[in-house]
């Protein structure tokens, strides 16, 4: 270290005199000291005040320039040295050196800038102001096709520099994207796929950039899908495959890229991984099985990619995914059920799947998860059944297959995601199915659970779906027994509250159900309708100019139906409905205007 102090003193003198030979000896000495103890040597360099001198030594003509840049690269490996390097004014001369023709100077300069930028806002900002990124991207473009080892090393350093420059910084990443870095990196990956270090750098860079939404379109206009699948097929090593996965996942969120990945053969690779890893209990194999099956499900979220893989229900991929559902592996059961839910996104696919026995497979799967089951599997299987129940033609088939009984087994579940899907599935199944709606509506256990969930303030989704199912049971069954069951279970107040929902569709469903209650069982429901302040709510809905036409229409239908109750009739009279209703006779919506005339007549006669 004494030797180092001498070197630093000597360097101060020779730096001013610019005698290259003795300067070179001092720089060699420094590099040696850094190799032995980087941190301590860096502290000494900082303490000696020599950093400022380095700026004057970074000149293109000097034979020592590469060594000076190398020293800066070494000291900038220490976090505490990065800001001092910026403060010493080293960034601008380093960026100037990026215009050098000397390969060694470029290499060491790229390293120095990359290390200064690592996790350093000040370093990045200074490089940004000096315009360093554009010069590096231009180099990548011009050197892209050369495959000699020295050039590949330089390309790796430049990729690393850009990565350190933009890592976790959205605005700098957006800047690189605007400079056109993505097509250049994709080209690099294609040409240099044999070079592990450079490939790895490209992948990490893609991983960073792919998180940014604006990058997806640029990626979609390259052959990234093809290159990544090609690279993926070659990887035997788990960690290397993991790196490719980390790029594939964010890219596959884009629908155009989903289709490109499917066309490039990614799905076949994923199915192969699943087959290889399914019986392994090694931690890394279990993780890879999850990643592969999750990615498979993600690819099915795109309409075009999904339809391509469905192949009319005869596709190899669809058949393989079907085979996951009866498997004993929870991850595969989950992925299989989610994949079916994704395939079930249009009527044609849903009808084909129901006709080919998918419902029975899903019910068997649910059966295996009733007691202490896996919540994610329950949720996925219910999602699939809900989607399959959307086409009208499937409802009766699924009802006769016993889907309602299978779903009702989960009524005791305390997990909101499962409750939410259970409610949605039942609501889809009874749509326009009077008999099924009546059967369910007379099921006291179900109705009591619905009333309980209508108060699940912490879970808006469950609360909304419970209300909608209560209303649907009445609307589709039109049954007095169902209405009595709902009244006895305390459900009326929830339907009245639902009429004030911010969602027009829910308001409407509530008003139609309440009108049926008033028409079929007004005596039974009268007290509950009174205590829930239904008449005041209807007055508010009609007086509010923002209420949708169908809300105004159904509110007036309901008022007419309530006139059969003495106490509710009195409330209607006390609230001066006539004034509001007569104004609605001139409403721009014809149905509303006609209903206003009818309601006005009814109110006038009854008053």
């Amino acid at each position: 270290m004494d030797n180092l102090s001498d070197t630093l003193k000597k360097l101060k003198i020779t730096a001013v005199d610019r005698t290259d030979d003795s300067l070179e000896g001092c720089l060699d000495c420094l590099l040696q000291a850094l190799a032995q103890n980087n941190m301590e040597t860096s502290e000494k360099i900082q303490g000696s005040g020599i950093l400022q001198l380095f700026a004057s030594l970074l000149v293109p003509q000097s034979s020592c320039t590469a060594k000076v840049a190398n020293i800066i690269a070494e000291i900038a490996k220490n976090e505490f040295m990065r800001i001092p390097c910026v403060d010493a004014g080293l960034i601008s001369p380093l960026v100037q050196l990026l215009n050098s023709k000397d390969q060694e100077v470029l290499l060491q300069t790229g390293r120095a800038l990359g290390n200064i930028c690592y996790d350093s806002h000040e370093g990045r900002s200074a490089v940004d102001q000096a315009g360093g990124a554009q010069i590096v991207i231009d180099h990548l473009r011009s050197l892209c096709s050369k495959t000699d080892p020295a050039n590949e090393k330089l390309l790796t350093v430049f990729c690393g520099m850009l990565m350190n420059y933009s890592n976790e910084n959205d605005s700098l990443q957006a800047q690189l994207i605007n400079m056109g870095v993505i097509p250049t990196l994709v080209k690099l990956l294609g040409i240099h796929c044999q070079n592990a270090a450079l490939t790895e750098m490209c992948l990490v860079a893609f991983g960073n950039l792919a998180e940014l939404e604006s990058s997806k379109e640029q990626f979609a206009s390259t052959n990234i899908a093809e290159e990544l699948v090609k690279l993926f097929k070659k990887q035997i090593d788990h960690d290397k495959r993991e790196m490719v996965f980390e790029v594939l996942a964010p890219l596959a969120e884009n629908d155009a890229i989903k289709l490109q990945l499917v066309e490039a053969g990614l799905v076949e690779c994923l199915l192969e991984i699943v087959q290889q890893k399914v019986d392994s209990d090694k931690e890394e194999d279990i993780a890879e099985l999850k990643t592969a099956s999750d990615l498979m499900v993600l690819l099915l979220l795109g309409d075009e990619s999904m339809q391509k893989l469905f192949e009319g229900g005869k596709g190899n991929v669809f058949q393989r995914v079907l085979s996951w559902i009866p498997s004993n592996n929870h991850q595969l059961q989950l992925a299989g059920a989610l994949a079916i839910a994704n395939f079930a996104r249009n009527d044609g696919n849903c009808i084909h799947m129901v006709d080919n026995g998918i419902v029975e497979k899903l019910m068997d799967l649910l059966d295996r998860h009733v007691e202490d089951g896996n919540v994610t599997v329950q949720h996925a299987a219910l999602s699939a059944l809900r989607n399959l129940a959307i086409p009208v033609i499937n409802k009766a088939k699924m009802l006769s297959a016993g889907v309602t009984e299978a779903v009702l087994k989960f009524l005791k579940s305390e997990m909101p995601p499962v409750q939410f899907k259970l409610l949605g599935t039942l609501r889809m199944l009874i749509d326009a199915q009077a008999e099924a709606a009546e059967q369910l509506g007379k099921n006291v256990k179900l109705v009591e659970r619905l009333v309980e969930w209508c108060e699940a303030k912490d879970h808006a989704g469950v609360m909304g779906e419970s209300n909608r199912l209560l209303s649907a049971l009445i609307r589709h069954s039109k049954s007095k027994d169902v209405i009595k069951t709902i009244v006895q279970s305390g459900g009326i107040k929830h339907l009245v509250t639902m009429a004030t929902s911010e969602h027009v569709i829910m308001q409407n469903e509530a008003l139609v159900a309440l009108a049926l209650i008033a028409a079929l069982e007004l005596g039974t429901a009268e007290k509950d309708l009174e205590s829930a302040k239904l008449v005041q709510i209807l007055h508010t809905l009609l007086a509010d100019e923002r209420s949708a036409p169908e809300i105004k229409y159904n509110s007036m239908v309901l008022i007419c139906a309530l006139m059969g109750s003495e106490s509710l009739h009195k409330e209607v009279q006390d609230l001066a409905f006539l004034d509001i209703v007569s104004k609605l006779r001139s409403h721009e919506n014809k149905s509303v205007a006609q209903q206003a005339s009818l309601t006005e007549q009814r109110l006038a006669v009854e008053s």
Side-chain angles (χ1 to χ4, degrees), residues 399-415:
L399 288 165
S400 62
V403 172
T404 38
E405 292 76 8
V407 169
L408 285 171
K409 289 177 187 171
F410 295 90
L411 206 53
K412 56 183 184 288
S413 171
E414 293 303 329
M415 305 306 288

Side-chain angles (χ1 to χ4, degrees), residues 382-401:
L382 288 167
S383 295
L385 286 171
R386 181 198 173 280
N387 288 2
L388 290 166
I390 293 172
V392 178
I393 195 170
N394 280 356
K395 297 180 196 294
K397 292 175 186 172
M398 290 176 72
L399 288 165
S400 62

Side-chain angles (χ1 to χ4, degrees), residues 66-334:
K67 282 183 181 169
V68 177
N70 188 356
I71 290 168
I72 296 168
E74 288 302 318
I75 60 176
K77 285 178 178 175
N78 301 288
E79 192 182 344
F80 66 88
M81 288 301 289
R82 288 169 201 149
I83 292 176
C85 283
V86 175
D87 293 343
L90 300 182
I91 302 296
S92 186
L94 281 168
V95 169
Q96 292 305 311
L97 285 178
L98 288 172
N99 296 306
S100 168
K101 298 279 182 282
D102 183 313
Q103 201 155 14
E104 183 61 18
V105 169
L106 287 174
L107 185 77
Q108 299 304 344
T109 304
R111 285 185 62 234
L113 288 169
N115 290 351
I116 291 169
C117 285
Y118 185 78
D119 247 354
S120 162
H121 169 70
E122 293 76 7
R124 291 168 182 183
S125 199
V127 173
D128 179 23
Q129 282 163 9
Q134 185 66 65
I135 306 173
V136 171
I137 291 176
D138 291 343
H139 274 306
L140 289 178
R141 272 195 205 111
S142 62
L143 299 171
C144 187
S145 315
K146 297 180 180 172
T147 54
D148 59 282
N151 189 60
E152 290 194 320
K153 194 175 174 188
L154 182 57
L155 288 170
T156 308
V157 164
F158 279 157
C159 281
M161 185 234 142
L162 289 181
M163 205 173 63
N164 288 352
Y165 170 71
S166 66
N167 190 29
E168 290 181 357
N169 184 314
D170 286 359
S171 66
L172 292 180
Q173 287 176 354
Q175 180 198 72
L176 294 183
I177 290 165
N178 291 336
M179 289 174 177
V181 75
I182 288 173
T184 306
L185 288 174
V186 174
K187 198 172 163 192
L188 267 181
L189 182 68
I191 295 171
H192 302 275
C193 55
Q194 304 301 329
N195 184 306
L198 185 47
T199 299
E200 211 163 292
M201 267 315 171
C202 285
L203 287 174
V204 179
F206 289 146
N208 287 346
L209 297 169
E211 296 294 340
L212 221 62
E213 210 39 57
S214 59
S215 74
K216 306 271 170 55
E217 270 176 45
Q218 271 212 29
F219 274 118
S221 65
T222 68
N223 63 336
I224 182 80
E226 205 182 310
E227 293 297 353
L228 287 174
V229 173
K230 213 183 334 177
L231 187 67
F232 191 77
K233 284 176 179 169
K234 284 198 311 209
Q235 303 307 329
I236 306 146
D237 183 41
H238 167 80
D239 293 340
K240 293 280 194 299
R241 274 209 297 252
E242 192 62 34
M243 282 191 82
V244 185
F245 269 137
E246 278 170 16
V247 181
L248 287 168
L251 285 180
E253 285 167 15
N254 176 280
D255 282 0
I257 299 174
K258 280 186 183 78
L259 186 59
Q260 291 168 6
L261 289 168
V262 167
E263 286 171 343
L266 178 61
V267 173
E268 289 71 13
C269 299
L270 298 176
L271 289 173
E272 203 175 310
I273 286 178
V274 168
Q275 205 170 351
Q276 287 167 3
K277 312 290 180 186
V278 67
D279 297 320
S280 170
D281 44 17
K282 275 206 227 148
E283 211 169 293
E284 63 176 36
D285 288 346
I286 294 167
E288 197 163 359
L289 175 81
K290 178 176 171 13
T291 309
S293 53
D294 283 350
L295 187 50
M296 181 81 203
V297 172
L298 181 58
L299 291 175
L300 292 172
L301 275 173
D303 288 339
E304 280 186 84
S305 50
M306 177 273 288
Q307 212 50 46
K308 189 174 175 65
L309 293 170
F310 190 64
E311 290 182 73
K314 297 188 173 52
N316 169 43
V317 173
F318 173 65
Q319 296 303 329
R320 290 277 286 278
V321 166
L322 271 189
S323 73
W324 293 355
I325 293 173
S327 109
N328 290 319
N329 183 304
H330 280 188
Q331 174 56 35
L332 280 195
Q333 293 171 359
L334 170 65

Side-chain angles (χ1 to χ4, degrees), residues 530 535-540 559 562-563 565-580 603-604 606-607:
E530 243 181 285
V535 174
Q536 289 94 311
I537 284 169
L538 292 174
H539 189 275
T540 307
I559 287 161
L562 294 175
M563 303 302 260
S565 151
E566 204 177 310
S567 55
L568 292 166
H569 181 176
K570 187 176 179 312
E571 280 190 35
V572 171
Q573 282 179 317
D574 292 349
L575 275 173
F577 269 84
L578 257 173
D579 300 349
I580 301 174
L603 289 169
E606 302 276 352
S607 60

